[in-house]
Amino acid sequence: MKTMGCIRMRGLAGCLLVFLAAFALVSCGDDNPASPDPTPTDEKGEVSFEISTEGGTGSGTGTSPIEVAQGDTLGMTISQKSKYTDSEGTVFECEPNASICLFAELDTVYADKLEQLTAIQEKAEVQTSQEGQSPVTNRTLQKFQIGSQSVQFDLSYETYTYATADGNVEMPYAMPHEAVFGNAGASDEGERTRTVIRSISVKPLPQTRASVSDTTWYEVNAIFNLDVECMNTREANKQNLTFSVTYRGAVTTEIELSEPVKELSHTIQATGGTASTSSPFVANPGETMGLLFKQTSTYTDAYGNQLSCEPEARISLSAETDTLYVQAKEDLEGVPASQNFVFNPSGENPLLYSATQRFELGTQHLQLEMSYEIYTATDVENNEIEMPYLKQNATIPSAATVSELSTATGEMADTTFYEVRVPIKLETVYVGTADENVQTTEIVASYIGAIVTWKEEPELVRVEYRTGYVWEEAHDNLPLLYYAKVYRDRYYSNGEVFTDEFVDNGHPMETSLGLVRIGYHDDAYLAEGEYQYSEGDIIIFHKGTLNGEPNDSIRTTMSIVEVDDLDAIEVREKLNLDPANGRFPGMWETYVSGKVYEDGVYLPVDANLASHHYEQCDLPSGWYFQVFAEKADVTQVFYKNYVTPIYHMNMFIGCYDQFLVIDGIRINFLDYLPKLNFNTVIENTASGKKITREERVHFLGRNFYAACIMDFRQK
């Protein structure tokens, strides 16, 4: 229980804030009408004041209220300097005092319901009184009722009256107005804002809960504000103060708190294939079918706080061969054999798990790629919560269905085409929710099966091989690529010609350049500042530009430098073969495996039937590749007779070469090696001289260009 007394202290320990500079003159206006006696002082009065607090912290603003700790009493003193000059020039001075005492009557409030801790009695109980003469002490006692708690303001201020040449004058003074609920704040002009923010808040204190039927402790916080107004002064001034009172509240009734709840929902988006919105999802011949499981994952704690995230799970299904040639329909049927799969983790928050599973049906190979994400969130008590997510649980392949599509008749043979559909059931499960929600999604790999029925057994009479390529423009995260191709034409005695196509993995073509300035190891276009040679010559570098990426068709870099003598610049060029590791086209032992085929693609070919000029090879059937730099250009730019060059540049083409091993022969692509040309262009400009060292490359039907541009300017 608190007493009604207040402690008034000034001193360095109690003074936590100063709202106005000590003894600053503040003029007040005519907010209050003057009475006939005492004579008004509005035009000639001045007052300054200093505020000090005891038992509180904070600046008193809306964002930093004066906080009264639990069980403490706030004592605030408003010390004033009041001055009045009458019509004869006589100066009257006094030092009235004002004070604010604030405390909560109870340290702890007990309630049956949580709502009782925030029940506000809108109208405060107010008692006023006066005592004494010059000074007259005016006192206001306010009691705010919040549930069973009583928060009390004890406000007082003094007024002095002097007999002057103008009559009896009430001296200027600072008066605290009655307090109200809420944080009103104050504008730069010192006026109270019109909107009052109701502010009674509670928050649970840390505890260990054995059950939901117990005593729950809360920290209760009440916000008030009031104005301190200068009276009887030339200009009006109000200073708003915000107060924060904190005490403990205990709810002793039975509280029903919800158990934490984890929930998950998802939708499926299909890409490729039939793009169906529901199961089964079909990967058409030559396409990759992808499914995106977009999820909404939530966690709601016992107090209703909610965390949420949006994990994703993905699957994709593709067939290795678009059209499969077999001897009989039975070769297309059956249940595919499957490999075991293991999810491997990567990344963090989300943690990504991914796995690949392969299925075999005859000579056909299907590939299923799966992944899912797991997020971790932090709740209000800093506990790490694993959010619910969807994961792939199991895959169940079923027997393939074979449906006849059409038959192409020929003079010597008929070819019957079938649609082969291999269904795979994918089981998904919710992890972390009360209901696992196990669902089954059917995905189908579709491809063409072909059976050739010879009317008489044809003979293979000739085999020819053709090479080619195709470019694929840069898209998504992929650079500009080319794909090498080999076509195998098989000629039979019945006139039929079958063409097999073999495609390599994609390869980029990189045009590389480097322009390095003297004294630096980075690109010259980044350099700025002076460089002084040993004999005193100074050259000045300015920042240039770099355009294009290493695998773009056009890439240039420019550097700017100022010199004293433009005629003293010399360019020295040197063109070399690539010295790196001796990797040159045709050194087949350095090529690495890129794409190996199954034995089913091998065609025993009599040397007399094969029309080709390629060498025999005993490597496994498949593609092999190597990266190399066909030529490198080393160019240096010198100034006067100095040994160290201004610029050092390297330009070279970095490209790939590949070969295909098929039917025991090596089919190379040496006819497609790049053709390149290095050239130096010197131009006179309005500001000096521009030297361009350029490289032009023609490779697989495309032109590539790279240049190092040096802009020399007269100092």
Side-chain angles (χ1 to χ4, degrees):
M1 181 73 70
K2 297 293 180 183
T3 64
M4 297 295 292
C6 279
I7 301 173
R8 301 182 182 181
M9 297 184 63
R10 294 185 57 193
L12 294 176
C15 185
L16 300 178
L17 65 158
V18 176
F19 292 93
L20 300 174
F23 310 114
L25 297 182
V26 181
S27 52
C28 291
D30 52 0
D31 288 342
N32 297 321
S35 59
D37 191 9
T39 304
T41 65
D42 293 1
E43 299 300 326
K44 304 174 182 179
E46 299 176 347
V47 66
S48 63
F49 62 87
E50 178 182 287
I51 299 177
S52 61
T53 62
E54 172 68 24
T57 61
S59 67
T61 65
T63 58
S64 178
I66 299 172
E67 296 183 357
V68 183
Q70 177 183 337
D72 286 349
T73 298
L74 170 70
M76 176 181 288
T77 301
I78 306 173
S79 303
Q80 307 162 53
K81 296 286 187 179
S82 177
K83 181 179 179 182
Y84 174 77
T85 305
D86 67 8
S87 57
E88 294 181 352
T90 303
V91 178
F92 297 83
E93 296 180 335
C94 62
E95 295 185 5
N97 286 322
S99 67
I100 299 173
C101 178
L102 171 61
F103 65 91
E105 187 175 86
L106 301 176
D107 294 343
T108 304
V109 175
Y110 292 88
D112 295 330
K113 297 180 180 179
L114 182 61
E115 292 79 4
Q116 294 174 351
L117 296 181
T118 59
I120 301 174
Q121 180 179 322
E122 294 291 338
K123 190 172 182 181
E125 178 184 337
V126 181
Q127 297 178 5
T128 61
S129 64
Q130 287 185 339
E131 61 181 21
Q133 293 182 350
S134 197
V136 175
T137 301
N138 301 272
R139 187 177 179 189
T140 301
L141 178 63
Q142 289 182 267
K143 293 184 179 181
F144 292 87
Q145 203 68 29
I146 306 171
S148 59
Q149 176 69 283
S150 177
V151 179
Q152 301 187 23
F153 279 86
D154 189 353
L155 315 174
S156 69
Y157 64 93
E158 295 177 343
T159 60
Y160 285 81
T161 303
Y162 291 152
T164 72
D166 303 325
N168 289 335
V169 173
E170 184 178 77
M171 297 291 288
Y173 61 94
M175 178 183 70
H177 286 283
E178 294 180 9
V180 295
F181 274 117
N183 173 7
S187 65
D188 292 340
E189 293 78 12
E191 298 180 356
R192 176 185 295 214
T193 58
R194 295 182 178 179
T195 302
V196 176
I197 304 171
R198 298 295 182 188
S199 184
I200 300 292
S201 62
V202 297
K203 67 178 182 180
L205 296 174
Q207 64 176 333
T208 301
R209 180 179 300 281
S211 68
V212 295
S213 179
D214 57 8
T215 298
T216 304
W217 292 92
Y218 295 89
E219 179 186 275
V220 185
N221 177 256
I223 301 294
F224 303 86
N225 77 95
L226 57 77
D227 288 331
V228 177
E229 182 176 8
C230 294
M231 309 299 295
N232 298 333
T233 54
R234 183 179 298 113
E235 295 181 0
N237 181 63
K238 287 182 181 180
Q239 176 66 51
N240 180 253
L241 300 178
T242 300
F243 302 86
S244 172
V245 180
T246 302
Y247 52 91
R248 298 186 75 185
V251 178
T252 57
T253 57
E254 188 171 302
I255 302 174
E256 294 294 335
L257 294 179
S258 302
E259 291 294 328
V261 176
K262 292 184 177 182
E263 297 177 304
L264 185 68
S265 62
H266 77 275
T267 59
I268 300 177
Q269 295 181 2
T271 59
T274 60
S276 171
T277 58
S278 61
S279 179
F281 300 93
V282 180
N284 293 326
E287 296 183 353
T288 297
M289 187 279 304
L291 295 182
L292 169 61
F293 294 78
K294 294 184 67 68
Q295 304 155 59
T296 300
S297 174
T298 61
Y299 169 80
T300 306
D301 66 13
Y303 297 97
N305 299 307
Q306 189 176 87
L307 305 172
S308 64
C309 61
E310 296 183 350
E312 293 182 350
R314 297 176 182 270
I315 65 170
S316 65
L317 177 66
S318 61
E320 185 176 86
T321 304
D322 301 343
T323 303
L324 191 65
Y325 287 87
V326 296
Q327 299 296 320
K329 181 180 177 183
E330 291 75 14
D331 297 334
L332 302 173
E333 299 173 334
V335 178
S338 61
Q339 300 175 345
N340 294 328
F341 62 93
V342 176
F343 282 97
N344 295 309
S346 64
E348 57 183 49
N349 210 22
L351 185 62
L352 177 66
Y353 282 88
S354 56
T356 299
Q357 186 177 20
R358 288 176 63 85
F359 300 86
E360 296 182 1
L361 181 57
T363 59
Q364 179 65 284
H365 291 81
L366 309 178
Q367 182 162 298
L368 180 65
E369 296 181 357
M370 298 167 283
S371 67
Y372 62 89
E373 294 177 335
I374 302 178
Y375 280 86
T376 301
T378 303
D379 67 7
V380 294
E381 297 178 349
N382 287 327
N383 298 315
E384 287 195 353
I385 306 298
E386 184 177 88
M387 300 295 288
Y389 59 93
L390 176 148
K391 67 167 291 188
Q392 297 90 351
N393 200 39
T395 57
I396 307 169
S398 300
T401 60
V402 181
S403 303
E404 184 175 336
L405 295 175
S406 62
T407 299
T409 60
E411 186 175 324
M412 305 298 295
D414 297 335
T415 303
T416 303
F417 297 96
Y418 296 87
E419 180 189 15
V420 183
R421 293 167 63 99
V422 181
I424 300 173
K425 293 181 179 179
L426 178 70
E427 184 180 274
T428 59
V429 62
Y430 282 7
V431 178
T433 59
D435 180 7
E436 289 188 344
N437 189 21
V438 179
Q439 296 188 18
T440 300
T441 302
E442 185 174 332
I443 51 180
V444 178
S446 175
Y447 53 92
I448 303 300
I451 301 175
V452 178
T453 305
W454 298 102
K455 297 177 180 177
E456 63 180 52
E457 189 67 25
E459 293 182 6
L460 181 63
V461 295
R462 189 170 79 258
V463 179
E464 294 182 353
Y465 302 90
R466 296 177 286 121
T467 58
Y469 59 86
V470 61
W471 286 96
E472 182 173 323
E473 302 299 324
H475 63 89
D476 298 327
N477 292 325
L478 294 176
L480 176 68
L481 298 172
Y482 76 89
Y483 294 89
K485 292 186 175 184
V486 171
Y487 304 92
R488 180 176 64 184
D489 299 322
R490 292 178 284 135
Y491 295 83
Y492 288 87
S493 58
N494 59 2
E496 295 282 348
V497 179
F498 293 93
T499 299
D500 306 308
E501 180 179 307
F502 304 92
V503 183
D504 186 15
N505 294 326
H507 298 296
M509 203 289 289
E510 299 181 3
T511 300
S512 177
L513 55 85
L515 180 63
V516 182
R517 60 154 282 192
I518 185 173
Y520 280 78
H521 298 289
D522 56 0
D523 288 336
Y525 79 93
L526 296 172
E528 290 184 288
E530 295 182 352
Y531 179 84
Q532 184 172 357
Y533 280 98
S534 58
E535 295 184 10
D537 286 312
I538 296 176
I539 58 178
I540 304 173
F541 289 89
H542 299 278
K543 195 168 185 178
T545 59
L546 176 65
N547 301 305
E549 297 296 330
N551 51 21
D552 285 350
S553 295
I554 299 177
R555 192 171 192 234
T556 63
T557 183
M558 181 187 73
S559 177
I560 303 171
V561 65
E562 294 183 27
V563 299
D564 291 314
D565 187 359
L566 293 172
D567 295 330
I569 297 170
E570 178 187 0
V571 179
R572 300 177 188 173
E573 305 166 359
K574 183 178 181 181
L575 194 63
N576 294 329
L577 292 175
D578 173 39
N581 301 322
R583 294 182 298 180
F584 305 103
M587 297 183 66
W588 309 129
E589 66 278 4
T590 66
Y591 284 51
V592 297
S593 173
K595 184 177 182 181
V596 177
Y597 293 113
E598 298 292 337
D599 292 340
V601 304
Y602 183 82
L603 180 68
V605 178
D606 189 308
N608 296 325
L609 301 179
S611 174
H612 62 82
H613 57 279
Y614 303 112
E615 63 178 323
Q616 292 184 340
C617 179
D618 59 0
L619 291 173
S621 297
W623 287 92
Y624 299 80
F625 70 94
Q626 182 60 276
V627 63
F628 70 94
E630 188 193 35
K631 290 183 180 180
D633 177 53
V634 180
T635 301
Q636 295 176 321
V637 179
F638 292 86
Y639 186 57
K640 295 186 176 179
N641 60 346
Y642 292 113
V643 175
T644 304
I646 299 178
Y647 289 115
H648 180 96
M649 72 188 77
N650 287 283
M651 305 176 66
F652 64 92
I653 173 176
C655 66
Y656 286 82
D657 183 43
Q658 60 284 312
F659 62 81
L660 171 68
V661 174
I662 196 72
D663 304 338
I665 60 174
R666 186 198 322 272
I667 301 175
N668 64 63
F669 282 74
L670 296 180
D671 292 340
Y672 297 94
L673 294 181
K675 299 177 182 178
L676 70 165
N677 176 264
F678 293 96
N679 187 39
T680 299
V681 179
I682 301 177
E683 305 173 71
N684 292 322
T685 64
S687 58
K689 180 183 297 185
K690 182 169 70 174
I691 299 177
T692 302
R693 183 60 175 169
E694 59 186 9
E695 172 188 20
R696 286 183 167 83
V697 182
H698 185 78
F699 181 53
L700 297 181
R702 292 185 74 108
N703 292 316
F704 297 85
Y705 178 82
C708 292
I709 303 169
M710 293 151 286
D711 189 351
F712 291 93
R713 299 179 181 178
Q714 182 70 44
K715 287 171 59 177

